[in-house]
Amino acid sequence: MSVSIVQYYGSQQSKCGYCAGANCSLSHGMHAYRLDCQDYQDLIDRGWRRCGNYCYKLRNQETCCPCYTIKCDGLEFKLSKSNKRILRRMNRFLRDGKRESKPETGDGDGEADADDAIGAPEVTASEPQPQLPDKSPTVINVDHVASLATAQKKPTKQATAPAVEAPTLGSNKSAAPISNKPCKKAKQMRLDRRRAKLGDAASVSTKSISQEKTLRDFLHSDSETNKHQLKLRLVHVHDDEFRRTLPQSFALYKKYQISIHNDPPKDQAAYKDHLQSTPMKNEKPSDGPEMGYGSFHQQYWLDDKLIAVGVIDILPGCVSSVYFFYDPDYSFLSLGTYGSLREIDLVQSLAENVHALKYYYMGFYIHSCPKMRYKGKLSASYLLCPETYKWLSLTDVIRAKLDEHKYQRLNEDPADKDVNEFLAEHLDEVMLLLDAQTCTDYKHYKQLQGADCDVDTIIEYSKLVGKACARRMLYVNML
């Protein structure tokens, strides 16, 4: 386990990217020099989120637009009729190469969803970039500080797998990492298990299960005779392949930002700060996924043209969506929704070998912002209670509560508490970096200083990150 190193910035105030209000978005922020992937998993399970190396957590009871962390259970996910229409539309486009002049209505339900309107704007909207604080983090030698902290903590070494080449995700097929091709029998067994999850096995016959098309069925089709080939390529942000394709990805991002958000990026450096910079290394434990944990770009190549990029973090318990951008010329394919379905397929594939990695994190659900409610449309979705940090199924009951008041505890059981709550009695265990050569816990820091220095700020930080992370992560406390 690598050492996480952070500098806490305290309370932040900025323009809101959702309601566009001035200085009404209230949050806590910190700079992450380095984050262990498990630590970041624990942080997002407490409502934190990152933009590059900057991590932030909304002050939901005070801010203008409360943000609730949302996730989807990839193994319990069921395709909606709208999802199926989008998948069929993509498959027909790949097969025939023709744009459709009107939406398909062949599901037999007579319905037409907003995202089925050809040429209409994509119903999804990427989260706006948070406004970064003006202050710059203290300059430190991260590798040297990590060595100091490791020597202080003396953790058990974690076995790592040898580095492997980033997998190419096949032509219009599953986003599963490629290794030795499984035998047909094993593949069929996995498919049968996936289908069995679509309903109650006791009440649904084997015949009806076999007739229900899964996400994998739509994506895993014979594409050799198609007019267009769609290939997904998973690229780590520090790989040579990322640098090689940087001109194409930046050009696509610039086109998307101008056309969709009317917000052109300043330059390539700003793009890299937002979507390449990451505090996480590419960790490859022996029991993890083939590509390891860390930050990746999932690139969508239509023939030889890059048409979309999903920026994701692969963590021990989830695939976390950071950002998604696409070529506006292909909006008729509903690429925002299609990208989400592809990322759920990636989760399902990874979960076959890493069973804990079964969730798809979509960032924040903002009920008070109508354009961001689309995230709640995926089945098997859950919201994080901002007080107990327990997950609750996103139901109409919760939606009704949020209609009444934009901030809600969500968890109705008053006896439920945060099991990872940081208490004052844990303060002595918080690890601090005092200067370039001194790494110690708060107990010894107190002895050196002779008083409870900075105690209020350190306790505030520790409560926000939780007891486990407060003990493991290194808090930069240099003047």
Side-chain angles (χ1 to χ4, degrees):
M1 195 171 186
S2 61
V3 177
S4 296
I5 307 170
V6 301
Q7 184 170 26
Y8 181 58
Y9 287 164
S11 296
Q12 304 295 309
Q13 186 173 357
S14 64
K15 177 182 177 180
C16 179
Y18 303 109
C19 69
N23 294 322
C24 58
S25 179
L26 308 178
S27 63
H28 300 279
M30 65 183 179
H31 176 81
Y33 300 89
R34 180 174 294 173
L35 276 181
D36 175 81
C37 291
Q38 181 60 58
D39 286 342
Y40 185 55
Q41 175 72 63
D42 291 346
L43 286 173
I44 62 175
D45 283 333
R46 292 185 70 81
W48 287 86
R49 188 155 170 78
R50 78 171 186 90
C51 175
N53 285 61
Y54 180 68
C55 299
Y56 58 102
K57 173 180 168 68
L58 275 298
R59 290 151 52 190
N60 271 350
Q61 292 191 36
E62 308 163 73
T63 194
C64 54
C65 299
C67 299
Y68 301 89
T69 302
I70 184 170
K71 72 177 181 181
C72 166
D73 187 328
L75 300 186
E76 297 297 329
F77 170 74
K78 296 179 181 178
L79 289 168
S80 68
K81 293 176 180 178
S82 175
N83 295 154
K84 293 175 183 178
R85 282 192 281 268
I86 289 170
L87 292 167
R88 290 191 183 104
R89 185 187 308 145
M90 173 64 81
N91 288 342
R92 285 195 298 273
F93 172 72
L94 295 175
R95 184 188 65 217
D96 304 327
K98 297 179 181 178
R99 288 194 181 205
E100 296 180 0
S101 58
K102 58 182 179 180
E104 173 198 8
T105 56
D107 286 326
D109 59 356
E111 298 178 3
D113 297 322
D115 55 13
D116 285 324
I118 305 301
E122 173 69 273
V123 294
T124 60
S126 292
E127 289 176 13
Q129 304 172 30
Q131 185 174 327
L132 303 184
D134 294 332
K135 65 184 346 181
S136 298
T138 302
V139 177
I140 63 173
N141 184 326
V142 176
D143 290 332
H144 175 67
V145 169
S147 298
L148 285 175
T150 301
Q152 177 79 13
K153 295 166 73 172
K154 295 181 181 178
T156 303
K157 291 185 178 180
Q158 185 177 18
T160 56
V164 294
E165 197 173 302
T168 297
L169 307 183
S171 171
N172 193 32
K173 295 182 181 180
S174 161
I178 297 173
S179 56
N180 292 330
K181 186 176 181 180
C183 66
K184 183 176 180 181
K185 182 178 179 181
K187 185 182 291 185
Q188 184 62 43
M189 288 173 64
R190 288 198 301 271
L191 185 59
D192 291 342
R193 287 197 298 270
R194 181 83 50 79
R195 285 172 171 163
K197 291 181 180 295
L198 293 172
D200 184 358
S203 61
V204 182
S205 68
T206 304
K207 181 178 179 180
S208 64
I209 292 177
S210 65
Q211 292 175 341
E212 182 72 31
K213 290 191 73 172
T214 66
L215 178 58
R216 181 66 59 86
D217 292 332
F218 281 101
L219 299 176
H220 191 84
S221 58
D222 184 8
S223 61
E224 293 181 1
T225 59
N226 283 353
K227 185 164 184 176
H228 293 298
Q229 297 296 318
L230 179 66
K231 293 185 179 180
L232 271 64
R233 190 180 301 159
L234 192 63
V235 180
H236 189 268
V237 294
H238 291 152
D239 281 355
D240 290 340
E241 182 65 12
F242 178 90
R243 289 184 283 272
R244 187 185 70 81
T245 58
L246 180 59
Q248 294 100 310
S249 62
F250 174 65
L252 178 62
Y253 174 72
K254 185 175 181 179
K255 183 177 182 180
Y256 171 82
Q257 289 294 115
I258 292 173
S259 176
I260 303 298
H261 297 296
N262 193 27
D263 182 25
K266 294 179 182 177
D267 50 33
Q268 195 174 98
Y271 165 73
K272 292 168 71 175
D273 285 344
H274 178 209
L275 299 177
Q276 180 192 15
S277 295
T278 176
M280 289 176 284
K281 288 187 171 182
N282 189 193
E283 300 174 11
K284 294 185 176 179
S286 57
D287 59 350
E290 182 180 357
M291 73 289 290
Y293 302 123
S295 302
F296 299 83
H297 281 200
Q298 185 159 258
Q299 300 176 338
Y300 295 67
W301 292 89
L302 183 64
D303 302 323
D304 295 322
K305 182 179 181 180
L306 183 65
I307 64 166
V309 175
V311 184
I312 60 174
D313 292 327
I314 299 179
L315 303 172
C318 73
V319 169
S320 174
S321 175
V322 178
Y323 204 71
F324 189 88
F325 56 97
Y326 58 87
D327 189 333
D329 293 343
Y330 294 87
S331 293
F332 67 96
L333 291 173
S334 301
L335 287 174
T337 303
Y338 183 79
S340 293
L341 296 173
R342 277 289 191 171
E343 289 169 5
I344 291 173
D345 179 60
L346 175 60
V347 169
Q348 293 176 346
S349 299
L350 295 176
E352 291 175 359
N353 296 312
V354 184
H355 301 308
L357 210 168
K358 64 174 185 173
Y359 292 106
Y360 175 52
Y361 281 51
M362 297 170 275
F364 292 135
Y365 174 78
I366 304 95
H367 191 80
S368 59
C369 181
K371 71 178 181 180
M372 300 304 294
R373 291 186 186 181
Y374 73 91
K375 294 185 179 184
K377 291 184 178 181
L378 290 180
S379 65
S381 289
Y382 298 82
L383 295 186
L384 183 69
C385 173
E387 296 182 21
T388 64
Y389 301 109
K390 293 185 177 179
W391 294 97
L392 294 98
S393 179
L394 178 51
T395 62
D396 288 340
V397 172
I398 285 183
R399 290 186 178 94
K401 289 177 65 175
L402 292 171
D403 283 336
E404 294 174 5
H405 197 280
K406 61 184 179 181
Y407 175 78
Q408 294 285 350
R409 168 185 162 99
L410 298 184
N411 189 337
E412 294 184 340
D413 186 349
D416 265 355
K417 295 183 178 180
D418 173 14
V419 296
N420 191 26
E421 181 181 7
F422 180 89
L423 303 174
E425 64 196 57
H426 305 133
L427 181 60
D428 285 349
E429 301 174 67
V430 177
M431 295 298 299
L432 308 174
L433 178 71
L434 306 184
D435 56 48
Q437 300 297 329
T438 309
C439 172
T440 186
D441 56 34
Y442 186 81
K443 180 179 180 180
H444 290 92
Y445 172 58
K446 211 169 32 172
Q447 294 171 356
L448 289 170
Q449 298 296 324
D452 286 353
C453 296
D454 309 311
V455 63
D456 292 339
T457 302
I458 295 173
I459 287 177
E460 179 181 81
Y461 150 82
S462 301
K463 285 180 176 292
L464 291 168
V465 302
K467 176 176 60 178
C469 282
R471 286 170 166 171
R472 293 196 304 256
M473 302 197 307
L474 185 62
Y475 177 102
V476 176
N477 196 44
M478 297 170 63
L479 298 177

